[in-house]
């Protein structure tokens, strides 16, 4: 599988939803709004058939923004740090 053009994206559940749900509006949302949005995005990811591939992609390219594979950017960074130990 090519890192530049992953084929799993065509099957991703998130395609049926607006991108802002997974990436937010950074400066214009409160902490509570962000948490709610992230939880909604994670629920969508939880039933996605390509969740694993999505997360692996995000970890491999160190995607700095958004919900990928059901994890936030902070959760992905923590996972990468734990793998280094």
């Amino acid at each position: 599988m090519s890192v530049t053009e992953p084929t799993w994206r065509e099957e991703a559940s998130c395609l049926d939803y607006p991108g802002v749900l997974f990436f937010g509006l950074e400066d214009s949302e409160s902490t509570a709004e962000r948490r709610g949005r992230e939880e909604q995005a994670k629920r969508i990811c939880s039933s996605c058939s390509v969740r694993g591939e999505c997360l692996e992609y995000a970890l491999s390219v160190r995607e700095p923004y958004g919900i990928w594979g059901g994890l936030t950017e902070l959760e992905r960074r923590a996972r990468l740090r734990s793998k280094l130990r």
Side-chain angles (χ1 to χ4, degrees):
M1 175 170 70
S2 171
V3 172
T4 56
E5 293 185 33
T7 57
W8 54 263
R9 285 186 181 186
E10 297 168 10
E11 299 173 38
S13 296
C14 59
L15 293 178
D16 295 332
Y17 298 88
V20 70
L21 180 61
F22 297 88
F23 294 95
L25 298 172
E26 296 306 316
D27 297 335
S28 65
E29 66 183 352
S30 69
T31 302
E33 289 170 329
R34 180 180 180 138
R35 280 192 202 124
R37 176 185 54 74
E38 288 176 344
E39 287 305 313
Q40 186 179 359
K42 287 178 175 188
R43 280 193 298 277
I44 293 164
C45 292
S46 71
S47 63
C48 182
S49 65
V50 294
R51 180 180 181 207
E53 292 92 331
C54 178
L55 180 57
E56 273 307 308
Y57 171 80
L59 293 171
S60 71
V61 300
R62 298 188 185 255
E63 178 58 54
Y65 303 107
I67 306 292
W68 289 78
L71 298 182
T72 67
E73 53 269 18
L74 296 176
E75 293 165 335
R76 290 192 306 276
R77 275 188 250 147
R79 177 156 307 179
L80 286 170
R81 279 194 304 273
S82 71
K83 284 184 177 184
L84 296 175
R85 293 181 184 172

